[in-house]
Amino acid sequence: MTLAQLDLIGDLARPARLTVPDLLGRPQHRVRVSFECATSGTQVHRFEGPRLYDVLSSAGPGFDPVRRKDRLRFLIAVSGADGHHALLSWAEIDPDFAHAPVLLAVRIDDTPLDRAGPQLVLPQDRCGARHISGIRAIRVDGGYPTLPPVLATPGLGSAEVR
């Protein structure tokens, strides 16, 4: 049996290639999700897997400890085998901010996903648009430089539009 693999890449101290058995070795969380799908109605599933935050934290995101709130500039791009993509901000999954219980599901309705690969599950999303099946890569990207402050033009208020 060939196991699906996903790559953790980007601004990480410890990039990795993981399989579902690797993810099973981490603390597992369970969630029941109801997605309101426009095309197929309401779908209810049970998912199990580690939290995305825990998996990415163990890979060592490249936060700059000197810069206040540096982690807030980091984005997480998730790519599936079918070409679907989703984007999250680090603040969504960080316990100090939104603390969303986003999972890398290794089981759906008690069915293992060893061959298909893990699924991105965002229980807080009303519809399943950011649900990604067969994850192949997760990229953590903090490559957004600090921009210099914009100086106000004399005589123009900040609310004026031209």
Side-chain angles (χ1 to χ4, degrees):
M1 168 170 78
T2 303
L3 297 177
Q5 299 178 337
L6 79 90
D7 293 321
L8 298 181
I9 57 175
D11 295 328
L12 300 168
R14 294 172 296 284
R17 178 165 284 160
L18 303 173
T19 62
V20 168
D22 295 328
L23 296 171
L24 282 166
R26 298 169 182 267
Q28 301 293 295
H29 300 270
R30 293 179 187 193
V31 65
R32 183 176 179 269
V33 179
S34 177
F35 293 124
E36 296 175 22
C37 303
T39 56
S40 57
T42 301
Q43 302 288 317
V44 178
H45 296 286
R46 291 180 322 277
F47 296 96
E48 181 179 341
R51 289 207 170 134
L52 177 63
Y53 174 81
D54 297 334
V55 172
L56 294 181
S57 291
S58 69
F63 305 140
D64 182 347
V66 176
R67 292 177 62 191
R68 185 174 178 263
K69 300 182 191 175
D70 187 54
R71 59 196 156 146
L72 296 181
R73 69 184 171 91
F74 279 69
L75 297 176
I76 303 162
V78 181
S79 301
D82 59 1
H84 285 100
H85 305 280
L87 189 63
L88 297 92
S89 71
W90 187 270
E92 283 183 82
I93 64 171
D94 192 304
D96 288 338
F97 299 99
H99 197 215
V102 178
L103 295 186
L104 291 177
V106 294
R107 284 190 174 84
I108 179 173
D109 299 326
D110 298 321
T111 301
L113 296 169
D114 292 357
R115 295 179 79 184
Q119 297 183 8
L120 181 69
V121 179
L122 293 97
Q124 70 277 14
D125 286 3
R126 189 175 56 80
C127 75
R130 291 194 292 175
H131 179 99
I132 303 292
S133 298
I135 298 171
R136 293 298 179 255
I138 300 175
R139 178 177 185 78
V140 176
D141 193 349
Y144 305 92
T146 302
L147 300 174
V150 177
L151 300 175
T153 304
L156 292 179
S158 60
E160 289 185 40
V161 178
R162 292 188 180 225

